[in-house]
């Protein structure tokens, strides 16, 4: 007898062999009616089977293995597991495989246990969901409550675990956790503020090596005639106002930084013989600065050193706002007082806002050296006849004095004709020839500068007027647009001929006075805000590759951009001559420091 199933499984034929003709005879043919299953039914069936089958097989294996007590080989395991799995106990009937025995074995061993496990699993899930809901409810209650001040908080997590056993309710435990987290957040916040404060003081201080350099060079000025020699030499004085040359203006009291700026400009220039540097410093640094450039010439470039005390027109009597900036009680308290209490710390003060407040209170912002750039047309048309009288010529013979007097008179006549200068901060390094800056057409504008509103970083290159001014003040809101793009100081090309036709300086003074009257409520940060107002409408944007900023702020500056930039600017607290400068960015600055110089070596600078 044989069974034949049709390919479609819709009919079953039972046949028997016919002995007479050697064929098969059909005894019975059964047709099965077709069944149609919907996709939803099929999906649910597959889902149920996918969930149940793993339990069936795992439990079957476990039940079977329970009867294998002493089995040390796979062969033994197969002999014991096979009959158990097939629901048989007689090994002699291996060839007979009734399907009913297999089904009965599965039903007898697996289904009761499966149902029991499913019930337990569902109960555990329900219990877990209820537990989570209760815990979330407790957390919401604790979140709206304050931690009692009398609650004694554990000093560590280990102490909390040891004390929580049979001691605290769930709510008390949650409150204790909240108190510990709040305490940790306060401690972290205070440590960050302390770090920012220490960094602020470190950035404002003068490093020991740089102070040593200034003292030694000042002493050299008084004892060495070569350190007092005239800068530049008399025959080069007419070149100080020659428009065919490239004139740079540098205002600083940092001798080492000034040397790096000058050295980098000369070494990067394709025509160093066309470079003229006008270095402006204060009275206390003048002798040391003069000594440095007198003893370390940068030929063929020309360097002259001037002190603010030599500008007889730059007095408090002529410009009253200078006296207000330097002597006003509110100003001095703001810049020289307690910077922590003055920052008005609160629970909502962020570390970034605190850092901005500290930066705004740097004493350098009331230094006249920081404001001198607004007087460039006057500085470069200064009456040199009076400057000769104020200059230290005690060791010069009378003939040389009259020779210098003649040249100073010539220079006085030529300075008003100087057209363009590039103003540099002392924390920049020049890496490319800057002579093409003089060929840029400023289109009648005064100031060629890099705009700082088109970058991605939030520290430097995403600045607009709203970042510098208080637009809740009625004068600021009335006169300025918060979305107007800001620009950068540090490397600017100034058209002095166009500048002299404007009222930029008077605008600068008037807004400084207004801010003083408002007790510094219009803006806080330094000299850039009043310059943004004074130069409004007089700025021509130049390509950002000329001036890369932020090397004193950002530890993750793009090194490829640093290498390609014409001028890199270490604006920010992490100056390269300070210990807190970024180590991977420092070499771009130190490569222009002459470590073979006796003064630098004896002062152990950056060692």
């Amino acid at each position: 007898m044989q069974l034949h199933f049709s390919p479609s499984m819709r009919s079953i034929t039972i046949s028997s062999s016919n002995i007479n003709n050697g064929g098969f005879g059909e005894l019975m043919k059964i047709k099965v009616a077709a069944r149609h299953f919907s996709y939803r039914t099929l999906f649910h069936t597959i889902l149920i089977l996918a969930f149940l089958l793993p339990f069936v097989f795992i439990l079957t294996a476990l039940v079977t293995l329970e009867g294998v007590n002493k089995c040390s080989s796979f062969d033994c395991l197969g002999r014991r597991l096979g009959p158990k799995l097939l629901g048989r106990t007689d090994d002699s009937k291996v060839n007979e495989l009734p399907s009913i025995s297999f089904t009965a074995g599965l039903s007898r061993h697996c289904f009761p246990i499966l149902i029991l496990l499913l019930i337990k699993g569902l109960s555990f899930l329900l219990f877990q969901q209820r537990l989570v809901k209760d815990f979330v409810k407790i957390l919401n209650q604790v979140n709206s409550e304050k931690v009692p001040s009398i609650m004694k908080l554990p000093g560590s997590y280990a102490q909390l675990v040891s004390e929580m056993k049979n001691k605290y309710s769930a709510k008390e435990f949650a409150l204790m956790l909240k108190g510990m987290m709040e305490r940790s957040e306060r401690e972290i916040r205070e440590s960050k503020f302390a770090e920012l404060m220490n960094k602020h003081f470190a950035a404002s201080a003068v490093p020991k090596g740089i102070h040593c350099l200034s003292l030694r060079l000042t002493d050299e000025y008084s004892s060495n005639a070569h350190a007092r020699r005239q800068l530049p030499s008399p025959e080069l004085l007419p070149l100080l106002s020659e428009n065919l040359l490239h004139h740079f203006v540098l205002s600083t009291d940092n001798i080492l930084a000034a040397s790096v700026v000058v050295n980098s400009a000369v070494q990067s220039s394709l025509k160093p013989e066309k470079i003229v540097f006008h270095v402006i410093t204060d009275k206390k640094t003048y002798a040391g600065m003069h000594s440095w450039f007198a003893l370390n010439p940068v030929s063929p470039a020309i360097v002259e050193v001037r002190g603010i005390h030599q500008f007889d027109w730059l007095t408090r009597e002529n410009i009253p706002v200078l006296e207000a900036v330097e002597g006003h009680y509110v100003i001095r308290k703001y810049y020289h007082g307690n910077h922590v209490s003055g920052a008005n710390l609160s629970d909502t003060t962020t570390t970034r806002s605190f850092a901005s407040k500290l930066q705004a209170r740097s004493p350098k912002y009331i230094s006249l050296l920081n404001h001198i750039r607004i007087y460039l047309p006057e500085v470069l048309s200064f009456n040199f006849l009076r400057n000769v009288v104020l200059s230290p010529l005690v060791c010069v013979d009378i003939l040389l004095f009259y020779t210098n007097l003649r040249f100073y008179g010539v220079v006085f006549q030529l300075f008003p004709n100087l057209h363009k200068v590039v103003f540099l901060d002392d924390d920049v390094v020049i890496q490319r020839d800057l002579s093409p800056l003089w060929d840029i057409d400023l289109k009648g504008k005064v100031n060629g500068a890099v705009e700082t509103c088109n970058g991605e970083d939030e520290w430097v290159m995403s600045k607009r007027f709203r970042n510098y001014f208080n637009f809740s003040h009625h004068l600021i809101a009335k006169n300025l647009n918060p979305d107007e793009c800001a620009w950068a100081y540090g490397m600017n090309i100034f058209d002095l001929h166009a500048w002299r036709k404007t009222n930029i300086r008077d605008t600068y003074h008037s807004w400084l006075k207004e801010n003083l009257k408002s007790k510094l409520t219009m803006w806080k940060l330094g000299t850039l805000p009043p310059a943004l107002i004074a130069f409004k409408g007089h700025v021509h944007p130049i390509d950002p590759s000329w001036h890369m900023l932020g090397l004193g702020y950002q530890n993750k500056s793009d090194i490829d951009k640093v290498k390609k930039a014409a001028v890199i600017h270490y604006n920010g607290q992490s100056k390269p001559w300070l210990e807190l400068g970024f180590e991977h960015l420092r070499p771009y600055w130190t490569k222009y420091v002459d470590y073979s110089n006796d003064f630098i070596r004896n002062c152990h600078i950056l060692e």
Side-chain angles (χ1 to χ4, degrees):
M1 180 182 294
Q2 288 190 357
L3 296 177
H4 298 275
F5 297 90
S6 66
S8 62
M9 297 296 290
R10 293 185 180 181
S11 64
I12 303 174
T13 304
I14 303 174
S15 60
S16 62
S17 59
N18 193 335
I19 302 175
N20 297 326
N21 53 19
F24 291 92
E26 183 177 296
L27 297 179
M28 185 183 298
K29 187 174 183 179
I30 303 172
K31 291 185 177 180
V32 182
R35 291 183 177 269
H36 298 281
F37 295 94
S38 66
Y39 287 111
R40 180 177 296 178
T41 302
L42 180 62
F43 173 76
H44 289 163
T45 303
I46 294 173
L47 190 62
I48 293 172
L49 289 175
F51 179 76
L52 293 179
L53 286 178
F55 288 97
V56 172
F57 286 110
I58 292 173
L59 291 173
T60 302
L62 290 174
V63 171
T64 304
L65 289 174
E66 286 178 357
V68 183
N69 298 324
K70 299 179 181 180
C71 189
S72 60
S73 67
F74 284 100
D75 181 60
C76 172
L77 180 62
R79 290 196 305 270
R80 291 182 177 273
L81 181 60
K84 191 76 174 181
L85 186 65
L86 298 176
R88 297 189 52 195
T89 59
D90 189 359
D91 294 341
S92 64
K93 300 180 180 180
V94 174
N95 295 327
E96 298 181 10
L97 301 174
S99 60
I100 298 177
S101 298
F102 177 73
T103 306
L106 285 178
S107 301
R108 185 171 63 253
H109 292 295
C110 298
F111 288 156
I113 300 176
L114 177 61
I115 293 173
L116 181 61
L117 288 176
L118 287 176
I119 293 174
K120 289 184 176 180
L122 291 174
S123 301
F124 177 74
L125 289 175
L126 292 175
F127 172 75
Q128 194 176 33
Q129 290 180 355
R130 186 167 61 251
L131 185 64
V132 171
K133 288 181 180 179
D134 293 342
F135 186 66
V136 171
K137 184 178 179 181
I138 292 174
L139 290 179
N140 288 331
Q141 291 177 355
V142 170
N143 188 43
S144 59
E145 298 180 11
K146 289 186 177 180
V147 179
S149 57
I150 60 174
M151 177 175 283
K152 184 179 180 182
L153 299 176
S156 64
Y157 177 76
Q159 183 181 352
L160 173 65
V161 173
S162 63
E163 292 181 359
M164 67 174 286
K165 298 176 181 178
N166 303 323
K167 189 174 181 180
Y168 301 122
S169 65
K171 185 175 181 180
E172 290 175 334
F173 180 69
L175 274 172
M176 192 160 293
L177 279 179
K178 180 181 179 182
M180 293 179 66
M181 292 182 66
E182 289 179 348
R183 181 182 63 186
S184 298
E185 289 175 355
R186 285 194 302 269
E187 292 175 352
I188 293 173
R189 187 167 176 267
E190 290 172 358
S191 65
K192 287 183 178 180
F193 286 155
E195 178 187 2
L196 291 173
M197 179 60 66
N198 293 334
K199 189 175 181 180
H200 169 68
F201 288 131
S204 303
V206 179
K208 181 179 178 180
I210 292 179
H211 182 61
C212 165
L213 181 65
S214 179
L215 291 178
R216 286 177 177 268
L217 287 170
T218 301
D219 180 69
E220 194 73 12
Y221 183 84
S222 63
S223 60
N224 187 345
H226 291 287
R228 296 192 303 272
R229 70 183 181 86
Q230 186 176 342
L231 290 177
S233 57
E235 64 273 14
L236 298 177
L237 287 176
L239 299 179
L240 294 178
S241 58
E242 176 56 63
N243 275 309
L244 296 178
L245 302 180
H246 300 149
H247 295 264
F248 295 88
V249 180
L250 172 63
S251 175
T252 179
D253 60 353
N254 188 328
I255 300 172
L256 183 64
S259 70
V260 169
V261 174
V262 174
N263 289 340
S264 64
V266 174
Q267 294 180 31
S268 302
S269 176
L270 298 178
K271 296 180 179 179
E273 66 277 4
K274 297 188 70 174
I275 290 180
V276 179
F277 260 96
H278 307 272
V279 180
I280 303 172
T281 189
D282 56 12
K283 186 175 183 178
K284 67 178 176 58
T285 315
Y286 174 78
M289 189 76 73
H290 190 283
S291 295
W292 175 265
F293 287 105
L295 299 174
N296 301 279
V298 287
S299 300
I302 299 173
V303 178
E304 72 157 343
V305 179
R306 301 186 187 180
I308 289 179
H309 60 287
Q310 296 172 339
F311 302 146
D312 61 345
W313 55 268
L314 196 62
T315 62
R316 294 178 176 85
E317 291 76 18
N318 295 334
I319 308 175
V321 71
L322 297 182
E323 183 177 9
V325 168
E326 292 186 355
H328 196 283
Y329 170 74
V330 175
I331 303 298
R332 295 198 65 81
K333 182 180 178 181
Y334 180 80
Y335 286 103
H336 294 283
N338 189 324
H339 289 186
V340 177
S341 61
N344 297 321
L345 288 177
S346 64
D347 293 337
T348 59
T349 304
T350 63
T351 54
R352 182 177 176 182
S353 63
F354 182 64
S356 298
K357 289 179 179 181
L358 288 178
Q359 181 187 355
R361 299 172 75 89
S362 176
K364 71 176 184 178
Y365 291 126
I366 58 173
S367 169
L368 188 54
L369 285 175
N370 214 30
H371 291 269
I372 195 68
R373 70 195 82 195
I374 203 67
Y375 306 109
L376 278 180
E378 288 79 9
V379 170
L380 297 181
S381 60
F382 167 59
N383 187 335
F384 279 85
L385 189 59
R386 293 188 177 183
N387 188 27
V388 171
V389 177
L390 294 174
S391 297
L393 297 172
V394 293
C395 297
V396 182
D397 61 296
I398 193 68
L399 180 60
L400 180 58
F401 174 80
Y402 283 110
T403 302
N404 293 344
L405 187 63
R406 174 172 59 84
F407 277 109
Y408 274 125
V410 173
V411 173
F412 168 65
Q413 295 174 0
L414 293 177
F415 256 95
N417 296 323
L418 198 61
H419 294 162
K420 284 185 177 180
V421 297
V422 169
F423 191 95
L424 299 171
D425 280 355
D426 63 359
D427 53 356
V428 304
V429 173
I430 293 88
Q431 302 185 124
R432 235 170 49 209
D433 180 37
L434 298 185
S435 57
L437 285 175
W438 276 262
D439 298 327
I440 295 177
D441 182 9
L442 298 182
K443 303 185 184 304
K445 305 294 185 181
V446 173
N447 180 6
V450 169
E451 291 183 328
T452 57
C453 63
N454 300 315
E456 296 180 355
D457 67 281
E458 58 183 1
W459 281 103
V460 180
M461 297 302 291
S462 57
K463 300 292 187 181
R464 297 184 180 274
F465 275 28
R466 70 167 69 91
N467 300 110
Y468 295 98
F469 298 101
N470 175 20
F471 277 88
S472 63
H473 194 284
H474 69 282
L475 287 179
I476 296 295
K478 180 181 178 181
N479 292 278
L480 301 179
N481 177 9
D483 295 322
E484 188 165 346
C485 188
W487 46 269
Y489 261 155
M491 198 285 294
N492 306 84
I493 176 76
F494 289 117
D495 186 337
L496 300 183
H497 182 69
W499 190 338
R500 294 185 183 102
K501 300 177 183 179
T502 68
N503 62 343
I504 289 175
R505 188 192 68 175
D506 294 336
T507 303
Y508 188 91
H509 285 170
S510 64
W511 279 94
L512 273 181
K513 292 177 181 177
E514 289 295 336
N515 195 33
L516 291 174
K517 290 179 182 178
S518 69
K519 297 182 179 180
L520 304 181
T521 58
M522 298 170 71
W523 69 79
K524 300 286 187 183
L525 183 61
T527 55
L528 183 58
L532 291 175
I533 301 176
F535 284 100
K536 193 171 181 294
H538 299 289
V539 178
H540 176 77
I542 62 176
D543 192 277
S545 64
W546 284 111
H547 184 193
M548 180 179 180
L549 298 104
L551 274 70
Y553 284 116
Q554 303 174 103
N555 186 26
K556 298 181 180 179
S557 297
D558 191 327
I559 297 300
D560 289 335
K561 291 182 179 180
V562 171
K563 294 178 180 179
K564 295 177 182 178
V567 175
I568 54 176
H569 194 172
Y570 292 85
N571 60 312
Q573 291 182 325
S574 300
K575 303 298 184 187
W577 56 81
L578 298 175
E579 290 185 4
L580 51 84
F582 300 127
E583 290 296 333
H584 66 292
L585 298 176
R586 197 194 307 275
Y588 298 98
W589 186 84
T590 55
K591 65 186 292 187
Y592 297 105
V593 177
D594 184 10
Y595 287 102
S596 64
N597 184 276
D598 290 339
F599 291 99
I600 292 179
R601 189 171 62 252
N602 292 333
C603 287
H604 307 286
I605 291 177
L606 292 178
E607 288 186 357

